[in-house]
């Protein structure tokens, strides 16, 4: 089966209520794929981090207290949580722009998912309130290819019997999975 067929099959599975995708991809999975494929594998295989850590709570606090009156949250297909601004744009809020590509890809995945699965076209806004920074994100032909490549990659990583090879990254020291990788 070609990689294009994997994406098309995923779209068909998502669109048809009588089928369910073999891997229900979430925005967090897309983010993890672009941060660390091992982190994605651990999370997808039920090895989850402690959600009560300071960094996770800080991110949750920033998300919950920013743009509160100008956005509404929606849960789509019991796993995709979107924030929609009064303007109609989809918003993703992050504490820091340090991992900008993973955040952008997460938002692009949401835009792609809306378009491909639900026939809804939206633009996005990536916001870093603690940095007072916002940027527009648009799903175009190039970013569509990037998202579809990411979907293929997520499906590949999650389908493996063991985690991807260990790769030292600059942020490994702050990763909540570091004890699993560097014991």
């Amino acid at each position: 089966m070609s990689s294009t067929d994997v994406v098309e099959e995923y779209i068909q599975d998502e669109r048809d209520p009588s089928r369910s995708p073999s891997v229900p991809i979430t925005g967090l999975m897309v983010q993890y794929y672009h941060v660390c494929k091992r982190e994605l594998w651990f999370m997808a295989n039920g090895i989850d981090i402690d959600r009560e850590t300071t960094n996770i709570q800080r991110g949750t606090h920033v998300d919950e207290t920013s743009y509160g009156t100008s956005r509404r949250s929606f849960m789509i297909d019991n796993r995709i949580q979107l924030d929609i601004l009064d303007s109609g744009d989809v918003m993703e809020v992050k504490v820091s722009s340090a991992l900008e590509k993973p955040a952008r890809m997460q938002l692009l995945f949401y835009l792609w998912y809306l378009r491909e699965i639900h026939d809804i076209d939206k633009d996005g806004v990536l916001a870093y309130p603690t940095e007072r920074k916002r940027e527009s994100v648009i799903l175009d032909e190039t970013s569509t290819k990037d998202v579809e490549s990411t979907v293929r990659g997520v499906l590949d990583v999650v389908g493996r019997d063991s985690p991807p090879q260990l790769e030292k990254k600059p942020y490994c020291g702050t990763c909540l999975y570091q004890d699993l990788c560097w014991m």
Side-chain angles (χ1 to χ4, degrees):
M1 181 180 287
S2 75
S3 57
T4 302
D5 293 333
V6 171
V7 173
E8 286 303 316
E9 185 175 320
Y10 176 81
I11 291 170
Q12 289 173 9
D13 288 348
E14 286 285 354
R15 284 185 168 183
D16 185 345
S18 69
R19 296 166 62 167
S20 60
S22 58
V23 176
I25 298 174
T26 66
L28 187 59
M29 292 169 84
V30 168
Q31 179 182 329
Y32 281 8
Y33 177 80
H34 286 282
V35 171
C36 175
K37 291 168 183 61
R38 281 178 70 86
E39 184 177 30
L40 167 62
W41 189 90
F42 289 140
M43 188 266 290
N45 283 277
I47 303 169
D48 206 1
I49 57 174
D50 179 5
R51 298 276 165 201
E52 299 302 315
T53 64
T54 303
N55 283 346
I56 300 291
Q57 288 184 347
R58 179 175 175 235
T60 301
H61 175 75
V62 168
D63 184 48
E64 290 174 350
T65 60
S66 302
Y67 311 102
T69 60
S70 63
R71 69 178 177 154
R72 290 172 185 68
S73 291
F74 295 90
M75 180 66 74
I76 299 176
D77 300 330
N78 293 319
R79 72 174 179 285
I80 306 286
Q81 177 133 3
L82 299 177
D83 292 328
I84 307 292
L85 291 170
D86 289 342
S87 66
D89 290 341
V90 176
M91 174 177 257
E92 185 61 29
V93 176
K94 298 294 182 187
V95 172
S96 164
S97 61
L99 296 173
E100 192 169 351
K101 181 180 180 186
R104 178 178 281 105
M105 291 305 300
Q106 181 178 4
L107 179 54
L108 285 167
F109 172 74
Y110 293 151
L111 300 176
W112 177 86
Y113 190 89
L114 284 172
R115 187 184 72 198
E116 295 299 321
I117 309 308
H118 295 286
D119 296 317
I120 298 171
D121 282 317
K122 293 283 183 187
D123 290 333
V125 174
L126 188 53
Y128 307 100
T130 58
E131 298 174 5
R132 299 186 186 273
K133 180 179 172 185
R134 285 173 64 144
E135 61 183 85
S136 295
V137 175
I138 297 170
L139 185 66
D140 59 17
E141 188 176 325
T142 300
S143 58
T144 295
K145 289 178 184 176
D146 291 343
V147 171
E148 290 176 355
S149 175
T150 296
V151 168
R152 285 183 206 96
V154 168
L155 293 171
D156 174 61
V157 169
V158 171
R160 295 179 187 182
D161 291 332
S162 59
Q165 188 135 22
L166 186 59
E167 180 182 335
K168 182 72 172 164
K169 299 188 179 217
Y171 35 81
C172 287
T174 59
C175 176
L176 298 174
Y177 286 100
Q178 69 178 307
D179 291 339
L180 289 174
C181 292
W182 302 102
M183 305 172 82

